[in-house]
Amino acid sequence: MPPSDSHTPRRKKKGLTSSTASNETDAVATDPKTSAQHPAFPLASFLWPARKSTSQWVILPLVLMVVGLFRWVTGFWGYSGFNTPPMHGDFEAQRHWMEITLHLPTSQWYFHDLQYWGLDYPPLTAYHSWVLGKIGSIINPAWFALDSSRGFEDQLLKVYMRATVLVSEYLVYAPAAIILNRKFARLQGVNKWESSIALVAILMQPSTILIDHGHFQYNTVMLGFVLASLSSMLASRYLWGSVFLVAALCFKQMALYYAPPVFAFLLGVCLLSSVQLQRLLAIAMVTLISFGVMYAPFLIGALYDSRRNISPTLELNLTSFPPLISFVLTSLDQKAWYFPPLLQLAQSTHRIFPFTRGLFEDKVANVWCALNTVHKLYVYPMPMVQRVSLLATFTSILPACMIISLFPRRELLPWALASSAWGFFLFSFQVHEKSVLLPLLPTTILLGGDRGLGPETRAWIGWANMLGVWTLFPLLKRDELRVPYFVLSIFWAYLLGLPPTSLSLYTRRYPGDASLSTIFKIVHLGFYAAMVVWHVLEAFVPTPEGKPDLWVVLNVVIGAAGFGICFVWCTWQLILRSGVMEDYFGFRIRMESGKKKT
């Protein structure tokens, strides 16, 4: 009989336990002369009055209002594709999807005018677009009129679209982040005050604000479902964790970055300590049912449309179709009742996983784009490049998956997600520069864990975030988001006591082994210096003739190198914290001592 998944509420504690008291030193510094305590960095100063007994019901509304204000003000600036016809940008893509889902039958969602921002996300994004389009059309039908609304840039429409991002985030991402942060803190023995500090740092992460509320996307909906899944896993509610992960996958396919370590973790939970086939089957069934529920309206709509003789617009004059579509058209009876939903599944899969687009998009700071600067990869056949990318990705995520399956401890799961997401970002196929949000999310969550606000972990997580937002600058510059970029990134660095606003993390002496080693201090400061110098060059030094993208290419190379170091650090920390090294060396010592005795 497998153990129950029920969660026993934790008893409230009147004061700090010994573990939480020891962790309080992460955000509190003590003057060696006077023994007086003071905040260790500015963000701790802002929340210093709440250190003793302030209710979370007072802190949370204030935090949400403040971080919401930063998001809304960011929206006053430019967005992707503003005044750049004919394709405009991501703002127009999101608006266009509201237009087509509102006016077209479901059987045409993935087929309609694919050359103009054809839908290329899973069905949950389409449902989300339909809901927002319905609400927006009540305010002004012209915003989403079929075809005639293309390129519409009314100021009130901009306000509405910005509001939909904020509301969507506060319905999904914000509550998920709050709940996860609390559960992770309890699991790690972190007190509520430091947990609140970590929550503010997570919600003020500059990259997420700039991409969703500046550039314009709905990434926080997908990321919120991921946080809800992780929160459920930390509470040992594995069925709910599976449901939320499916929701993330059905909103944006990039959530696949997290799927392998979650699968490995659940496999370890069900099979390692004791074989629990009933739990494993329950997880598998719930996962399949969740996918079925997510796709059901879309597929049922296709069947309904076929009954009404409404079929997708197939350009049958084309000489060739993508392999999956070609297989469905040639191998199945087109008059059979099951043909319409299978055709929809094939087309949506083809749109969601665009292997024909290329190895990477634009200039992204991953391994393939960096290599392409010195050796052009397009000279190789695309199938071979795809296989190499698949092999490299599999190899990069293998350590995290193996560790989390062999040591399925809940506190290790954020580290495994971070390692896997960095591996996907660096080596997988069709990576966008905005995909850096995926590895940054679990990396930043670690601020809320054991010693997360300590000098070493804070330095690493802060460095990864500053590097991540820096690699987004070429994209943000095109969107006229320079001012929000500098304000948000420098303010976040100030809050956490990071360069370029403070060097205390790298110059102050901390007790014990709390601080970074000298070699990593040099590495971090070297990258910070490179980022500052790059901004000076990019702003004041024109590129040489014939090399207009020189500064962008340099950004890619430096960023890819730094992200590679982040990947290695997360993976190494996962290995160390799992105890596998201690087990291995302990076994070797016992074997050696046994040989000496004989």
Side-chain angles (χ1 to χ4, degrees):
M1 189 79 177
S4 172
D5 278 341
S6 61
H7 177 68
T8 304
R10 185 177 177 175
R11 251 190 262 170
K12 292 183 180 179
K13 295 184 288 187
K14 294 184 179 179
L16 296 175
T17 64
S18 58
S19 62
T20 58
S22 65
N23 277 344
E24 193 177 13
T25 57
D26 290 344
V28 178
T30 303
D31 191 309
K33 296 181 180 178
T34 63
S35 298
Q37 291 185 327
H38 58 86
F41 47 92
L43 183 53
S45 299
F46 282 111
L47 292 174
W48 191 257
R51 181 170 168 241
K52 293 299 180 183
S53 59
T54 306
S55 170
Q56 293 297 301
W57 293 108
V58 175
I59 297 175
L60 273 179
L62 292 174
V63 168
L64 291 175
M65 284 190 288
V66 171
V67 300
L69 182 63
F70 277 96
R71 282 157 166 75
W72 189 251
V73 172
T74 301
F76 291 168
W77 297 83
Y79 56 81
S80 173
F82 179 64
N83 279 338
T84 55
M87 293 300 291
H88 301 277
D90 280 349
F91 181 93
E92 170 62 13
Q94 302 288 344
R95 190 214 59 80
H96 179 62
W97 294 342
M98 298 176 195
E99 168 196 339
I100 63 175
T101 55
L102 182 63
H103 292 286
L104 298 178
T106 57
S107 60
Q108 296 184 11
W109 286 359
Y110 286 96
F111 289 90
H112 179 73
D113 196 2
L114 300 181
Q115 298 304 313
Y116 186 82
W117 296 116
L119 183 60
D120 56 3
Y121 282 129
L124 192 53
T125 286
Y127 308 150
H128 179 254
S129 298
W130 179 81
V131 170
L132 299 183
K134 274 285 187 183
I135 297 171
S137 64
I138 296 173
I139 302 172
N140 187 347
W143 289 347
F144 306 108
L146 187 62
D147 294 334
S148 63
S149 62
R150 291 189 178 184
F152 204 83
E153 293 183 334
D154 178 67
Q155 284 300 311
L156 190 56
L157 170 63
K158 178 182 176 181
V159 172
Y160 173 74
M161 296 288 280
R162 293 294 196 193
T164 62
V165 177
L166 187 64
V167 172
S168 298
E169 178 172 343
Y170 270 53
L171 287 176
V172 182
Y173 181 81
I178 292 167
I179 295 171
L180 170 65
N181 190 59
R182 284 187 174 182
K183 289 184 177 178
F184 193 40
R186 288 180 179 179
L187 185 66
Q188 298 272 278
V190 177
N191 65 67
K192 290 183 179 179
W193 179 63
E194 288 200 340
S195 176
S196 298
I197 294 173
L199 177 64
V200 176
I202 293 167
L203 293 178
M204 282 298 296
Q205 185 196 47
S207 298
T208 303
I209 298 176
L210 287 165
I211 291 300
D212 274 24
H213 300 273
H215 176 82
F216 197 90
Q217 284 193 332
Y218 294 94
N219 292 293
T220 48
V221 178
M222 178 265 292
L223 296 175
F225 284 131
V226 171
L227 293 179
S229 175
L230 181 56
S231 176
S232 300
M233 299 287 180
L234 294 183
S236 299
R237 294 169 176 166
Y238 304 123
L239 299 183
W240 276 112
S242 302
V243 171
F244 286 125
L245 184 61
V246 170
L249 289 166
C250 288
F251 194 86
K252 285 198 173 187
Q253 60 270 32
M254 286 85 76
L256 279 170
Y257 283 29
Y258 308 117
V262 170
F263 173 77
F265 171 76
L266 293 174
L267 207 60
V269 165
C270 295
L271 300 180
L272 190 64
S273 57
S274 61
V275 177
Q276 302 177 35
L277 291 179
Q278 184 178 346
R279 171 181 280 180
L280 183 62
L281 290 174
I283 292 172
M285 288 298 297
V286 166
T287 301
L288 291 174
I289 291 171
S290 300
F291 273 113
V293 169
M294 294 294 176
Y295 270 84
F298 172 63
L299 299 179
I300 292 172
L303 287 171
Y304 177 67
D305 289 344
S306 69
R307 290 276 184 174
R308 296 188 297 160
N309 293 321
I310 299 175
S311 59
T313 307
L314 284 171
E315 299 181 15
L316 296 176
N317 58 328
L318 293 178
T319 57
S320 63
F321 288 98
L324 195 57
I325 308 297
S326 179
F327 172 79
V328 172
L329 290 174
T330 58
S331 303
L332 301 178
D333 181 6
Q334 298 188 19
K335 295 182 179 180
W337 68 269
Y338 53 79
F339 178 78
L342 289 180
L343 178 63
Q344 292 294 328
L345 277 176
Q347 174 68 355
S348 62
T349 303
H350 167 67
R351 295 292 301 165
I352 292 167
F353 299 104
F355 290 112
T356 57
R357 287 191 188 175
L359 190 55
F360 52 85
E361 285 217 3
D362 209 354
K363 297 291 190 299
V364 54
N366 75 346
V367 169
W368 307 124
C369 190
L371 283 177
N372 194 65
T373 62
V374 293
H375 181 71
K376 301 306 177 185
L377 300 178
Y378 60 77
V379 299
Y380 299 103
M382 185 58 65
M384 186 188 79
V385 172
Q386 291 174 351
R387 287 192 290 269
V388 171
S389 173
L390 178 63
L391 179 62
T393 305
F394 176 78
T395 304
S396 67
I397 68 173
L398 188 60
C401 292
M402 289 183 63
I403 291 294
I404 201 63
S405 62
L406 293 174
F407 303 90
R409 302 202 302 269
R410 292 172 294 166
E411 66 271 15
L412 296 179
L413 196 51
W415 291 98
L417 293 182
S419 174
S420 173
W422 281 119
F424 266 99
F425 179 80
L426 287 168
F427 298 103
S428 64
F429 196 85
Q430 249 297 297
V431 175
H432 298 248
E433 63 270 65
K434 294 160 289 190
S435 300
V436 75
L437 298 182
L438 282 91
L440 286 179
L441 176 69
T443 303
T444 310
I445 284 169
L446 297 169
L447 287 170
D450 181 35
R451 304 309 306 272
L453 296 176
E456 182 180 12
T457 305
R458 179 158 49 96
W460 276 102
I461 295 173
W463 176 68
N465 273 279
M466 294 302 291
L467 186 65
V469 71
W470 176 74
T471 61
L472 292 171
F473 179 78
L475 171 70
L476 300 172
K477 178 184 174 182
R478 291 200 300 268
D479 299 337
E480 300 296 333
L481 291 167
R482 295 180 189 86
V483 172
Y485 162 81
F486 283 111
V487 170
L488 288 172
S489 57
I490 293 176
F491 183 60
W492 196 80
Y494 164 75
L495 288 176
L496 292 180
L498 302 169
T501 62
S502 172
L503 296 176
S504 60
L505 273 175
Y506 300 93
T507 57
R508 184 184 300 171
R509 291 185 178 181
Y510 293 93
D513 57 351
S515 60
L516 282 173
S517 64
T518 302
I519 183 65
F520 288 127
K521 287 181 180 179
I522 295 172
V523 169
H524 284 198
L525 291 174
F527 272 90
Y528 280 117
M531 287 186 269
V532 172
V533 170
W534 182 89
H535 271 302
V536 173
L537 293 174
E538 189 274 337
F540 299 108
V541 180
T543 57
E545 187 177 352
K547 295 183 179 180
D549 296 330
L550 178 62
W551 303 138
V552 179
V553 169
L554 188 60
N555 180 289
V556 166
V557 174
I558 295 173
F563 292 152
I565 296 172
C566 293
F567 164 68
V568 173
W569 177 73
C570 288
T571 306
W572 181 244
Q573 287 294 317
L574 173 63
I575 293 171
L576 288 179
R577 291 165 187 264
S578 70
V580 65
M581 301 297 292
E582 296 176 12
D583 292 344
Y584 172 75
F585 286 112
F587 173 76
R588 289 293 301 271
I589 292 171
R590 289 194 300 271
M591 289 294 293
E592 291 296 329
S593 60
K595 288 180 181 178
K596 290 178 180 178
K597 289 180 180 179
T598 57

